Amino acid sequence: MFYDLIEIFLRAIVCVITVVVLIRINGLRSFSKMSSFDFAITVACGSVIASSVISPKESVLLGVAALAALFAVQAFIAWLRAASEPARQRIDNAPLMLMRNGEIFHENLHKSRMTESDLYGKLREANAYNLDRVHAVIFEPTGDVSVLHGNDGGDVSPEVLDGVQVSGMP
């Protein structure tokens, strides 16, 4: 049993060092949530690490190879997204407008599978205490919800809303 514990620690050290090296090579974006693929890779890496650490039947080198393969796939997809607009459009989800200038887009709430209660919860999280001061609420491709609000009477710059789907407007 003692040797099993030592092996788990050694496997964990190898996996963590591998991830750190791969992040240094691939960049900090490795564990970002910029796209659904980034999120999937992050979850897959966690699974590979867990399997490699606690599964003595498998070689830790297989785990290292799997991690390297996941990072390589992520790097390729990131390159493809940056190099080709048609590929980016097929890979990424478009952000979706949920609310604009205090008006809720119910059709878009339905598309995002959110309820008004979910929306109000996100508004509270963002300290948006008055719907009249909410300029825009956007369901991002990562699943995050961005709340653009403030005391000023100004509108959001068009560049900030570039690519945001607004179908379903009231």
Side-chain angles (χ1 to χ4, degrees):
M1 169 122 163
F2 177 73
Y3 292 111
D4 291 338
L5 293 175
I6 290 175
E7 182 180 0
I8 287 173
F9 277 102
L10 292 174
R11 287 172 168 271
I13 290 168
V14 168
C15 288
V16 168
I17 289 172
T18 299
V19 167
V20 169
V21 168
L22 290 170
I23 289 172
R24 298 287 292 177
I25 293 168
N26 209 33
L28 290 176
R29 184 185 186 286
S30 300
F31 286 122
S32 71
K33 288 189 345 179
M34 290 187 179
S35 73
S36 56
F37 283 96
D38 294 323
F39 179 72
I41 294 295
T42 299
V43 171
C45 282
S47 179
V48 167
I49 291 168
S51 296
S52 298
V53 170
I54 62 172
S55 180
K57 294 178 185 175
E58 298 296 330
S59 164
V60 74
L61 291 177
L62 285 176
V64 168
L67 287 169
L70 288 170
F71 276 79
V73 167
Q74 184 185 37
F76 174 73
I77 291 171
W79 171 82
L80 189 60
R81 288 175 64 234
S84 168
E85 180 65 23
R88 188 185 63 75
Q89 289 176 352
R90 285 182 179 79
I91 291 170
D92 293 344
N93 295 318
L96 184 63
M97 183 76 66
L98 300 177
M99 177 185 270
R100 181 88 188 251
N101 297 325
E103 294 186 57
I104 298 172
F105 300 169
H106 294 288
E107 183 180 320
N108 290 353
L109 272 181
H110 180 72
K111 282 182 187 178
S112 66
R113 292 176 175 74
M114 285 182 62
T115 65
E116 276 191 44
S117 181
D118 297 331
L119 177 63
Y120 293 138
K122 290 299 181 180
L123 291 170
R124 288 188 297 272
E125 283 178 15
N127 294 319
Y129 53 89
N130 187 329
L131 293 182
D132 292 336
R133 294 184 179 150
V134 175
H135 302 296
V137 178
I138 302 162
F139 189 72
E140 301 291 354
T142 60
D144 293 330
V145 176
S146 298
V147 179
L148 309 176
H149 65 94
N151 291 334
D152 61 351
D155 203 11
V156 179
S157 298
E159 297 84 5
V160 174
L161 299 178
D162 186 45
V164 176
Q165 289 182 355
V166 293
S167 63
M169 289 176 42

